[in-house]
Amino acid sequence: MEMKNLTGGENLQTIAELDCSEEFTREVHGELVFLSVINTFLSITAFLGNTLILVALRKDTSIHPSSKLLYRNLAITDLCVGIILEPLSVAYWTSVVNERWDICHYADLISYFAGVTLCSMSLITLTAISVDRLLALLLGLRYRQVVTLKRTRLIAIGGWIVSIFGASSFFLNSFIVSLYVYIVTAFCLVTTICAYTKIFMSLRHNQIHGQNHVVQGQSSQVNTLNKARYRKAVYSALWVQVTLVICYLPYVIAEALTPQREMPLSTYLALQFTGTLVHLNSSLNPFLYCWKITEVRQAVKETLQQLHFCT
């Protein structure tokens, strides 16, 4: 995934010429072949893992429909990484190695567009999940009335529209898409941090309050079970969020340290390898769902058992 940050009026042409230059890339063919093999494997795991998660989420009925829709949207985004973005990246690297410069230019530009679209959509979806968990805590019994499936669907569609139009601005001016990426990233991170901070402060306050006012009876037991289930859902979403930050952060650092007008070969390789780490996130998420969400894990087991039986 290429996210260059060069300046000047001919950015689009400069990036394409640099990424598809024989003089610039002739010394890194071995590294590009290695990246192609790794991303081919990641493409397969992302496709299989997220397809299985989508089937499991379709079967599960215990998760609130709005929350399920957000997880399905994130799984679809990761699935698109596996079937669109990673094959495009492999096409770019193999075209460089085989010196197919006509294919290289198109693969490089389209993979950039797909990368910005899918990465920003992942950030937006995870931000929506954090806000959804906060609303579940603040609204209580009113949560199901306020956070409806229709409203959540509109938010998901709006996220896709914003991501596609934001990435499309690259074909007009690379400065606009860089500004878009910075704004979306900052907004999503600030919103997510504020949401989880509020959640954990409220949980801490409720825990202290509950220790000071012990209430006997069945209603207290039900309330305790609901809080335990909510806390588990929050930690599950937080694990997905932290994993994304870990996978994205090296690329963000490499991008931030990229010179404005010229790029050393070492920086180019750093962007390629850290971009692969971004792709890895789409293969890790299905394992996180199975590990942290009991209902999804059970649905995945049942799906695998049915596939085994059919085979």
Side-chain angles (χ1 to χ4, degrees), residues 130-279:
S130 66
V131 174
D132 174 72
R133 292 297 84 204
L134 178 60
L135 291 176
L137 177 64
L138 298 179
L139 297 176
L141 297 177
R142 296 179 54 244
Y143 168 73
R144 293 179 179 271
Q145 299 175 353
V146 176
V147 184
T148 62
L149 186 60
K150 181 179 180 180
R151 291 174 179 173
T152 307
R153 188 178 289 116
L154 290 175
I155 292 174
I157 294 174
W160 280 105
I161 293 175
V162 169
S163 299
I164 292 173
F165 274 92
S168 300
S169 64
F170 171 74
F171 297 100
L172 300 176
N173 191 307
S174 65
F175 174 77
I176 298 178
V177 73
S178 297
L179 185 62
Y180 162 78
V181 169
Y182 295 144
I183 292 175
V184 168
T185 302
F187 172 79
C188 290
L189 288 178
V190 171
T191 303
T192 301
I193 292 173
C194 291
Y196 281 116
T197 301
K198 177 64 176 177
I199 288 172
F200 286 113
M201 288 178 62
S202 298
L203 290 176
R204 179 61 179 170
H205 177 268
N206 292 336
Q207 182 180 6
I208 296 175
H209 182 75
Q211 290 175 352
N212 295 333
H213 299 82
V214 179
V215 182
Q216 301 293 332
Q218 184 177 359
S219 60
S220 177
Q221 295 177 358
V222 173
N223 190 36
T224 301
L225 290 174
N226 289 336
K227 288 182 179 179
R229 184 174 181 179
Y230 172 79
R231 188 179 290 106
K232 186 176 181 180
V234 168
Y235 278 109
S236 300
L238 187 58
W239 266 98
V240 178
Q241 183 79 44
V242 170
T243 302
L244 180 138
V245 172
I246 293 174
C247 291
Y248 279 48
L249 186 59
Y251 183 87
V252 173
I253 295 174
E255 173 67 19
L257 296 178
T258 300
Q260 294 294 312
R261 296 192 175 277
E262 61 181 9
M263 181 185 300
L265 190 59
S266 58
T267 303
Y268 170 80
L269 283 177
L271 289 172
Q272 305 305 313
F273 276 92
T274 54
T276 298
L277 187 59
V278 172
H279 298 168

Side-chain angles (χ1 to χ4, degrees), residues 113-124:
F113 169 78
V116 174
T117 301
L118 296 175
C119 289
S120 61
M121 191 60 215
S122 296
L123 286 171
I124 292 172

Side-chain angles (χ1 to χ4, degrees), residues 88-138:
L88 283 171
S89 298
V90 172
Y92 161 68
W93 290 319
T94 54
S95 65
V96 171
V97 173
N98 296 315
E99 299 182 358
R100 295 294 305 272
W101 307 120
D102 52 340
I103 299 176
C104 178
H105 286 282
Y106 289 107
D108 186 35
L109 295 178
I110 298 175
S111 65
Y112 177 89
F113 169 78
V116 174
T117 301
L118 296 175
C119 289
S120 61
M121 191 60 215
S122 296
L123 286 171
I124 292 172
T125 304
L126 282 173
T127 303
I129 291 175
S130 66
V131 174
D132 174 72
R133 292 297 84 204
L134 178 60
L135 291 176
L137 177 64
L138 298 179

Side-chain angles (χ1 to χ4, degrees), residues 65-75 125 128-129 132 152 156:
S66 297
S67 300
K68 185 196 296 188
L69 176 62
L70 293 175
Y71 277 111
R72 290 176 66 180
N73 193 55
L74 186 59
T125 304
I129 291 175
D132 174 72
T152 307

